[in-house]
Amino acid sequence: MTAQVVIFLRAEPGKRTLRRLDQAVARNLGHRRQTLVFLHGDAVSLAVDNCPERWRSPGADRRLELQVCTAAWQRRHPGRQPASGWQRASLVGLWDRLLRGADIDCLVDCKVQPAQPEGTGAEFLIEVSAAPVEPGSTEMLELVLAGASLDAQMQVLFRGAGVAHLDLPDARAWQQLHDFELARLFHAAGARPEGLMPALPSIGLDSKAMAALAHQARAVIYL
Amino acid sequence: MTTSDAWIEFDGRRVALDAEGHLANPADWSPAVAVALAERDGVGLGDDHWWLIEFVRDHYHRYGTVPLMRQAIMAWRRASGDDTIGSRELYRLLPDGPIRLACRYAGLPAPESCI
């Protein structure tokens, strides 16, 4: 089954996000779209429990896939299996869906936005606004590396608390994106102290340039 | 050299392995251990194997992650000046998984990411 829509969830969902997730699943299944819910980061905790019965309406299960990132799951629940209905899966598999044209559905609370309708570019924009806290920092980089392993064209924009990734020690791991030309790196110019050079080479952008970057991207993934 | 699923023994020394055949303690690594681990898989290490082993060790220590195949190819091309090198050449070296096996022989832990 090929997903036409990927609902990507990274943050541990609160009640509001769960309601949005529920609505997004119902909306996509209602439009008879093949739908993949993919849990990453702290969101994998959702797979501790069985998937909601309401997602199991007659005919719906053939169009709905529920996946949990294997590595993120193992880090948080070693030796356990996800609950009934959830399957372990790789980030490479997720990227394969995106590269084959699946849309990313909007879940504002977990900061994943749908592809910009005007976006005609080939590059995915990954916007990192979460501070470098482990294991989330490693997992955000893994998401980018998984895309790179399939030759996805990517741009990474660090903004807000995410600009801390540009400084050591966190910049060390992200440096490989620059050294191996895996992604183009940008940061919000105003989010860093003036005159302080980042350890990770990246291009500073003003708000207008950041908006243009997102507007032209094939899809935007907010981390 | 003698081996079991849980250890290899050579030069009178026993080195513990994890469930996936990687060193239980990365500090046990030495070139002789790399040779013993490769022999256990029926692999004889040549110059190109050693280049790959050194590359994954350096990458891991530099960035804290295991390299992608794409990164290994780019580094090999840069080192050799041969732009025709691709994944085929890596698989000729280690047909059962070039990066995974290079990590094992390099004394690195089994990659925990799902890339």
Side-chain angles (χ1 to χ4, degrees), chain B residues 46-86:
Chain B
D47 289 346
D48 289 339
H49 294 96
W50 279 111
W51 176 87
L52 184 58
I53 288 168
E54 290 298 334
F55 168 73
V56 298
R57 282 180 65 79
D58 178 70
H59 188 96
Y60 187 80
H61 292 122
R62 188 181 299 253
Y63 303 114
T65 64
V66 167
L68 306 174
M69 175 96 73
R70 175 177 170 183
Q71 291 171 301
I73 291 167
M74 182 179 283
W76 199 359
R77 286 178 177 176
R78 286 173 178 171
S80 66
D82 181 355
D83 283 344
T84 66
I85 285 172

Side-chain angles (χ1 to χ4, degrees), chain A residues 6-8 36-40 67 69 89-100 102 104 143 146 150 221:
Chain A
V6 174
I7 301 172
F8 179 72
L36 166 63
V37 177
F38 192 96
L39 306 180
H40 190 229
Q67 296 185 347
C69 170
S90 74
L91 290 170
V92 173
L94 170 70
W95 272 103
D96 183 48
R97 305 291 181 102
L98 296 176
L99 288 165
R100 281 191 285 155
I104 301 175
L143 180 75
L150 294 186
I221 301 174

Side-chain angles (χ1 to χ4, degrees), chain A residues 14-33:
Chain A
K15 282 183 182 173
R16 190 162 170 235
T17 305
L18 283 174
R19 195 164 55 245
R20 288 180 190 276
L21 174 61
D22 224 18
Q23 290 167 348
V25 169
R27 185 172 61 246
N28 284 295
L29 292 180
H31 287 108
R32 306 188 64 78
R33 302 183 84 187

